[in-house]
Amino acid sequence: MTRSISNQNPTENDSDSLMRIVVIVSSAGGIKALIEVVSDLPSDYLGTIVVVQHVSRDFHSHLAHILDSHSPLRVKQAEAEEKLVR
């Protein structure tokens, strides 16, 4: 796996008003790779990161809890119609 974590974090003083979003897409077999990525994130990262994983409608995922236990950042599962925030 190739990893690249940029040191160019968005800051509150950025001149552009666009929200910076990183989207990571994974299959069910990608949990180990996701853990590697989130564990390497800097604790002061200010961007929004969205992880998308295809799962069955009937499956209760523990992915957010697993990633949260490995990340310096807060990880939570999205809720219906929830808006992204900085």
Side-chain angles (χ1 to χ4, degrees):
M1 179 183 139
T2 303
R3 293 184 289 179
S4 177
I5 303 297
S6 172
N7 289 332
Q8 297 178 350
N9 290 342
T11 66
E12 293 179 27
N13 297 324
D14 276 350
S15 60
D16 63 19
S17 61
L18 298 176
M19 181 184 287
R20 295 169 191 251
I21 300 173
V22 173
V23 179
I24 303 170
V25 180
S26 166
S27 67
I31 293 175
K32 287 174 83 174
L34 287 172
I35 289 170
E36 285 187 50
V37 170
V38 301
S39 65
D40 283 346
L41 291 168
S43 61
D44 61 347
Y45 184 82
L46 297 177
T48 299
I49 301 170
V50 177
V51 174
V52 179
Q53 186 178 51
H54 180 267
V55 294
S56 169
R57 183 180 299 259
D58 301 327
F59 181 73
H60 180 73
S61 177
H62 297 279
L63 181 62
H65 176 74
I66 293 167
L67 296 180
D68 189 55
S69 68
H70 292 280
S71 175
L73 304 172
R74 179 175 166 249
V75 177
K76 68 174 289 299
Q77 184 165 328
E79 298 175 25
E81 298 186 36
E82 182 175 9
K83 296 181 190 252
L84 295 176
V85 295
R86 287 184 190 216

